[in-house]
Amino acid sequence: MPPWPYNDADETQEGAEGRNKEVQTSIIQSLYNSITDSFVKLPVDKEVQGSHSDSDISTTIPKSQDTDQTSNSPWYSELLGVLESLGATLEHSDTNESKSDSRVSLEELAANESDYMSWLTGAKSKLDEVALQVQNQDWSAFTSFSAEEPENASSDDLEQNMESTEEIARARTVKSRILEQISAVQAQLNRQVDEATAALGSAVQNMLPPQLQRPWIAECAQSCIDRDIHPDLLESTSVRVSPDICGQEADFQAKRAEKIRQDFAKFIGVSASSVDVRDIPVIGIAGSGGGFRAMISTLGSYRAMHQAGLAQCVTYDAAVSGSSWAIAALHTYANGNPYQALDSVHEAMKTSMFSTSNLSEFVNENDGIAKRVFADIAARYLLSGAKSEDGHSVTQSKDGEAGARELQTGGIQKTATLLDRILGEAARRGHQAVDVLLPEKYQTWVSKPQSASVPLTMDELLQAAKSTLRTMSVPPLSVVDLYGALLFRKLIVQHIKVGDDKKSDLVLDPKWVKLSAQRPAVDQASQPMPIYTAVRHFIGTDDNDPDKAQGHQYQWFEFNPYEVGSIDHDAWIPSWAFGRPMVNGCEQLKIGEAHFGGIIGAASSAFCASFDAMIMELYMAVPSAVRSAMDPLLDWIEHGTEVSHPIPPYTLYNPFYIGEQSSTSQSDKLAELESKPLLSLMDAGMENNLPFAPLLRPERNVDVIVCLDSSANIEIMPWFARAEAWAGDHGVERWPWGARPWSADPLRPSKAEVKLDQSTLSGTRSVRESVNKRIRDDNIRCVVFDQPVASSPLPRKNGSLPRPITILYIPLLPNAKFRDPDFDPETADFCGTFNDQWTTEQIDLLADLASFNLTQEVSRIRDALKVAYKRKRAHRLYEEGLDA
């Protein structure tokens, strides 16, 4: 029975509002009962008359010629009568409108709409079943026969009683017209379901706070197409396929060397006039993961570097996970000032970012900022429902060929002319274009077709999405999107203290929602270039099915103010275009770049770890005796756990997707990436908690890497072993082979790591033990690796030894000379990776320890940089055929 049985005698004024719905549901129930209970055994009318009109269901009901026969054919008559009543009720009732009486609460109204929606959906399903039953009936069930004839009369007997073939045709006509009536009612019922769905949605929306209702969400999303924030909406993007750095970064390197010459000369203690900018070592900071512990300690280390004059000599700021937050603060509101960043962190860390009450208070009291924070989530939520009705991809026609509209000028074009590149770049960079482009060599470019118009409103964007995206896979919203928005609100929205007992003021420059907004300071070379990192987990199968995985690998991606792309695929896209749906190098939709909150969320999404990594976190936390007992269990369950991620990662449109066309790429890795419409990224700490990969790219020519390691379980982490394996796979000749800061072997090393230790590291254990002793016993907080201590696995080129990279390793460890010698970040509860609420005293304690450790080692760092400078100078002079 329907949820509201209709009884006219019991109807009251308060119940009048639901009467129409009750009539409809009762009639639908009657329709179903009458047809399913009496379908085969009842006779039908012999004659069928009446006109037929598709537009008016009341005129499509067949009428009997002999009214006396109606009583002898209750099934057919009742069916037609019910169809007529149902059609009239559906046609003329206005029960779709949600009528909220003042005496009915929003919750009750929503519940009623939900019940009605559920029953309508069920009735629609039942009616579909009836239509199928009628369709499957033999024509003989629709012939006229006497009541005396047995119910089990055969089809042959019935055929003998037929007067002529006209009666067979008439019977089939009856069946056809019954199906027409059911079809007409189905169409109206479908409309009823759609309208009930809208009414239910409206009722639910009215129950939500204003900030979760559609108008507020649309206002949030509007900023994603705000041309004041995203002027690059007017630009058409391009994909660059090349191992080289882009021209803008090469330009930055040259400017930065000039900018830091005096500071570098001062730091190493020589006159600026004696320093050739070509000899200044390219210095990169490598900040580790470690959540809020890593963020605070990294800021403490930067504060010490700033005081010593070292920060002014740095060219690259690279980061993994938690240290990304510190880098993000320094390259947004803090403008390179670690003191200002720490001041904001002191205020931001007073409350938990996961508190719903704090979040609600933030949204209510800071509506404008909240709309900026949640803009990307709002836009992606709205776009996820923007689907076309015909279900065909705009980028692919029915025969699989690329659609003409956006691909007629698109597609990958190998090596565009230098003139094309200069003209395209000149549109954005004016007179700098020639200077930027001329140094570039051996690059492959993709053309820039103007394939999508720029929407002015969200309605225009959604309409464009319906007609453009169609069957393209839509990136799902995940917990990482919300996590990134909360991180952005906590760490990039600046918190300014206004009094001891008052809430801090919140300030957000709208431009900081974009990674590309960090570009002006880099263009001017006034700050180092920030590099944020993430990894894509490729599990070794075409369809990424964990059950079929034979091997897996983490592929590095980086985000910098100029480009976003893959270090392992040599594929790049301008950072301002990251987030736009693209196929074969052609934009499908104009939308602002991916929210910076999403990027830092992806960069620090350690909770998206594989099941195996989650088990390892538990494994490292238990005593060694328990580990021994766990080893057999881990060996047994190891297969499959390395490639299974219980929490989905951050997912966006893959800018390198080429659709169903065959890849022309020489690289198998790139061809595989090009075949995937979506790109999923997660915390690079899954592979290495130190960002060696972007700094080891040979084309960057980094000479010194300063590692700020705030990892947990720091002594048993295989970061150097994994960096060495990556260097070997990518032909990085300059890696100081055999460099290891710890003598302890990694817990449960991979087969590759075991093989590496057995080959490359044979005979180096004594060196590692010596380094370990200096760190622990001699209180050394900076270890210098500037020479290989093991043989290189790479073939030597031209018979010469490469100039090795210098690595300065600065671990976060307690210090016997610190003001609190007993403070150990490894064991202090408040230093937990995911603890997001700290007191002022706790922040000061950790930041001060990091500053103290680095300040203690300034002299050692200075000596190492001086050696690196002299080595680079001697190498240049040798290459030029001059004496050192």
Side-chain angles (χ1 to χ4, degrees):
M1 292 295 293
W4 305 293
Y6 175 61
N7 188 329
D8 185 60
D10 295 334
E11 184 175 306
T12 64
Q13 181 178 1
E14 295 182 24
E17 184 179 340
R19 181 169 60 86
N20 285 334
K21 293 177 183 178
E22 296 165 7
V23 171
Q24 290 181 54
T25 53
S26 296
I27 291 173
I28 297 173
Q29 186 73 57
S30 174
L31 167 68
Y32 179 72
N33 291 339
S34 66
I35 295 178
T36 56
D37 293 344
S38 310
F39 185 77
V40 178
K41 61 184 179 181
L42 294 177
V44 300
D45 286 334
K46 192 172 185 179
E47 302 290 343
V48 179
Q49 291 183 349
S51 60
H52 299 275
S53 170
D54 292 336
S55 61
D56 185 358
I57 193 169
S58 63
T59 66
T60 64
I61 305 301
K63 301 298 183 182
S64 175
Q65 216 175 32
D66 185 355
T67 56
D68 291 338
Q69 279 193 322
T70 304
S71 59
N72 294 327
S73 54
W75 166 58
Y76 185 52
S77 299
E78 186 176 357
L79 169 61
L80 300 182
V82 169
L83 287 172
E84 182 176 18
S85 300
L86 177 61
T89 304
L90 290 176
E91 184 74 20
H92 301 297
S93 67
D94 60 349
T95 57
N96 315 316
E97 299 179 4
S98 180
K99 304 172 184 177
S100 58
D101 187 88
S102 60
R103 292 162 293 183
V104 181
S105 68
L106 290 173
E107 290 79 2
E108 292 172 334
L109 182 61
N112 289 342
E113 294 288 359
S114 178
D115 289 341
Y116 180 53
M117 177 62 196
S118 298
W119 202 86
L120 268 180
T121 305
K124 178 179 178 297
S125 177
K126 292 176 181 179
L127 192 57
D128 291 342
E129 293 175 10
V130 169
L132 184 61
Q133 291 179 35
V134 173
Q135 182 66 48
N136 292 335
Q137 280 296 314
D138 187 79
W139 58 267
S140 59
F142 298 89
T143 58
S144 176
F145 54 92
S146 65
E148 289 79 14
E149 289 180 300
E151 293 183 4
N152 60 353
S154 68
S155 178
D156 291 340
D157 295 335
L158 292 173
E159 186 171 1
Q160 291 175 3
N161 290 333
M162 297 292 287
E163 295 180 3
S164 65
T165 57
E166 286 86 1
E167 294 194 28
I168 299 177
R170 187 179 298 114
R172 288 173 175 163
T173 301
V174 171
K175 176 180 178 180
S176 176
R177 289 178 178 172
I178 289 174
L179 289 173
E180 287 179 9
Q181 308 314 311
I182 293 177
S183 178
V185 176
Q186 282 177 316
Q188 294 198 48
L189 189 56
N190 286 337
R191 290 195 295 270
Q192 197 78 356
V193 170
D194 291 342
E195 292 166 357
T197 302
L200 175 61
S202 176
V204 173
Q205 282 286 327
N206 290 334
M207 292 174 58
L208 298 174
Q211 291 81 6
L212 294 181
Q213 294 184 19
R214 178 65 177 249
W216 192 85
I217 293 175
E219 290 175 12
C220 280
Q222 181 67 32
S223 66
C224 290
I225 53 174
D226 187 334
R227 296 186 189 184
D228 291 335
I229 301 175
H230 300 284
D232 294 306
L233 282 169
L234 300 174
E235 301 288 339
S236 290
T237 189
S238 63
V239 174
R240 187 175 69 90
V241 181
S242 171
D244 291 339
I245 59 176
C246 66
Q248 295 95 325
E249 184 178 342
D251 186 44
F252 156 74
Q253 280 192 340
K255 288 183 179 179
R256 184 65 179 171
E258 289 284 358
K259 190 84 170 181
I260 67 176
R261 178 164 64 171
Q262 289 193 2
D263 289 319
F264 178 77
K266 180 179 179 181
F267 184 76
I268 65 172
V270 299
S271 65
S273 60
S274 67
V275 175
D276 188 314
V277 293
R278 295 173 294 177
D279 303 330
I280 298 176
V282 177
I283 302 171
I285 304 297
S288 80
F292 292 95
R293 176 188 63 254
M295 177 192 70
I296 294 170
S297 64
T298 298
L299 287 175
S301 296
Y302 269 85
R303 183 176 61 186
M305 289 191 292
H306 187 85
Q307 291 172 337
L310 173 60
Q312 294 84 335
C313 305
V314 172
T315 301
Y316 292 104
D317 285 337
V320 167
S321 198
S323 62
S324 298
W325 309 338
I327 300 303
L330 290 171
H331 287 272
T332 52
Y333 66 86
N335 195 29
N337 186 337
Y339 298 93
Q340 187 173 352
L342 279 168
D343 286 344
S344 180
V345 166
H346 274 95
E347 296 299 307
M349 297 296 285
K350 290 179 179 178
T351 58
S352 172
M353 73 178 193
F354 301 111
S355 167
T356 54
S357 60
N358 290 337
L359 178 60
S360 177
E361 183 178 298
F362 162 72
V363 172
N364 288 326
E365 296 181 2
N366 304 274
D367 184 71
I369 294 179
K371 287 176 180 175
R372 306 292 191 199
V373 170
F374 296 105
D376 196 54
I377 293 179
R380 293 180 63 187
Y381 166 74
L382 295 178
L383 284 171
S384 66
K387 289 289 186 179
S388 69
E389 296 180 358
D390 60 2
H392 294 295
S393 170
V394 75
T395 61
Q396 300 292 327
S397 59
K398 294 182 181 180
D399 60 0
E401 294 298 324
R405 183 184 65 80
E406 69 288 291
L407 296 186
Q408 58 187 354
T409 59
I412 295 180
Q413 296 182 356
K414 298 298 181 181
T415 316
T417 67
L418 181 61
L419 178 61
D420 290 337
R421 290 160 50 189
I422 292 178
L423 291 176
E425 193 68 15
R428 286 196 298 125
R429 303 202 62 193
H431 67 279
Q432 297 180 350
V434 176
D435 293 336
V436 168
L437 288 166
L438 283 178
E440 298 187 48
K441 297 179 180 179
Y442 314 117
Q443 297 197 358
T444 304
W445 290 71
V446 174
S447 64
K448 301 180 179 181
Q450 182 69 35
S451 59
S453 60
V454 182
L456 296 176
T457 66
M458 276 308 298
D459 286 340
E460 288 184 13
L461 178 65
L462 296 178
Q463 189 60 40
K466 288 180 180 179
S467 61
T468 303
L469 298 183
R470 300 193 179 180
T471 57
M472 280 188 69
S473 300
V474 176
L477 282 171
S478 72
V479 66
V480 181
D481 294 279
L482 177 59
Y483 174 66
L486 296 177
L487 280 174
F488 187 88
R489 170 239 173 182
K490 187 178 184 74
L491 303 175
I492 307 303
V493 175
Q494 186 179 3
H495 295 62
I496 301 176
K497 185 175 182 179
V498 293
D500 292 337
D501 299 326
K502 296 181 179 180
K503 296 179 184 177
S504 55
D505 285 342
L506 302 183
V507 177
L508 175 64
D509 188 327
K511 67 184 179 182
W512 297 134
V513 303
K514 308 184 305 176
L515 169 62
S516 63
Q518 299 173 32
R519 176 173 171 171
V522 181
D523 280 340
Q524 299 165 14
S526 59
Q527 289 189 34
M529 189 179 95
I531 302 175
Y532 309 92
T533 59
V535 291
R536 172 181 181 251
H537 196 181
F538 174 61
I539 65 174
T541 64
D542 289 339
D543 54 0
N544 256 19
D545 183 352
D547 295 332
K548 302 176 184 177
Q550 299 299 316
H552 73 106
Q553 61 181 209
Y554 288 101
Q555 299 167 341
W556 282 81
F557 280 70
E558 71 172 63
F559 310 82
N560 66 61
Y562 294 122
E563 292 185 309
V564 172
S566 171
I567 303 168
D568 288 315
H569 301 88
D570 295 330
W572 311 93
I573 190 170
S575 57
W576 50 263
F578 183 60
R580 296 184 186 182
M582 296 184 66
V583 178
N584 202 30
C586 301
E587 299 170 340
Q588 305 299 295
L589 198 65
K590 290 282 192 181
I591 190 169
E593 71 180 88
H595 199 287
F596 186 51
I599 291 175
I600 60 175
S604 56
S605 55
F607 49 82
C608 293
S610 65
F611 186 62
D612 177 73
M614 293 180 178
I615 294 176
M616 283 302 299
E617 288 292 325
L618 174 63
Y619 185 81
M620 290 184 292
V622 300
S624 57
V626 179
R627 291 176 191 163
S628 300
M630 290 178 66
D631 280 332
L633 176 63
L634 294 182
D635 291 337
W636 179 67
I637 67 173
E638 189 173 55
H639 177 68
T641 61
E642 293 180 329
V643 297
S644 176
H645 294 265
I647 300 177
Y650 177 69
T651 302
L652 278 182
Y653 291 106
N654 178 10
F656 313 112
Y657 177 54
I658 65 169
E660 297 179 2
Q661 299 185 16
S662 298
S663 174
T664 59
S665 300
Q666 299 287 330
S667 165
D668 290 339
K669 280 187 177 181
L670 181 55
E672 183 277 327
L673 177 65
E674 290 174 336
S675 68
K676 301 297 185 290
L678 300 179
L679 179 64
S680 296
L681 300 171
M682 62 191 79
D683 195 319
M686 311 291 178
E687 167 64 12
N688 198 318
N689 215 34
L690 287 166
F692 283 113
L695 297 176
L696 288 177
R697 289 177 60 188
E699 56 275 12
R700 280 209 165 109
N701 292 309
V702 173
D703 301 299
V704 179
I705 299 177
V706 181
C707 298
L708 305 177
D709 192 359
S710 305
S711 303
N713 303 294
I714 198 167
E715 294 185 33
I716 54 176
M717 291 293 98
W719 311 140
F720 275 70
R722 291 184 181 178
E724 189 160 289
W726 192 91
D729 291 341
H730 292 77
V732 182
E733 297 178 302
R734 298 179 61 197
W735 174 261
W737 305 99
R740 297 291 190 280
W742 304 106
S743 59
D745 293 324
L747 288 181
R748 298 185 61 79
S750 67
K751 293 179 181 179
E753 290 165 350
V754 171
K755 182 179 179 181
L756 182 70
D757 281 352
Q758 291 174 346
S759 57
T760 307
L761 300 183
S762 58
T764 64
R765 179 167 292 276
S766 60
V767 177
R768 286 185 281 164
E769 289 176 349
S770 174
V771 171
N772 200 171
K773 180 179 182 300
R774 295 180 65 205
I775 294 174
R776 283 300 184 191
D777 298 344
D778 300 339
N779 206 48
I780 300 300
R781 292 297 173 265
C782 176
V783 180
V784 180
F785 300 99
D786 59 1
Q787 294 289 344
V789 294
S791 59
S792 169
L794 300 176
R796 187 178 300 178
K797 294 181 181 179
N798 301 324
S800 62
L801 290 174
R803 178 170 50 89
I805 293 173
T806 298
I807 297 180
L808 307 179
Y809 180 69
I810 304 175
L812 178 63
L813 292 172
N815 194 313
K817 299 178 182 179
F818 181 54
R819 60 181 171 88
D820 186 350
D822 296 327
F823 170 55
D824 186 352
E826 181 72 29
T827 58
D829 290 339
F830 67 85
C831 288
T833 298
F834 295 105
N835 176 35
D836 73 325
Q837 194 168 354
W838 296 48
T839 66
T840 297
E841 293 74 21
Q842 291 169 342
I843 294 173
D844 288 340
L845 186 62
L846 180 59
D848 289 352
L849 174 63
S851 294
F852 187 88
N853 283 348
L854 194 139
T855 300
Q856 172 186 290
E857 302 296 334
V858 166
S859 177
R860 198 182 315 276
I861 295 171
R862 178 180 291 111
D863 291 343
L865 292 187
K866 188 178 296 185
V867 170
Y869 162 70
K870 290 181 178 179
R871 182 185 292 168
K872 188 172 184 178
R873 180 175 182 273
H875 182 78
R876 176 181 63 82
L877 294 175
Y878 172 79
E879 291 290 322
E880 294 176 355
L882 302 174
D883 294 332

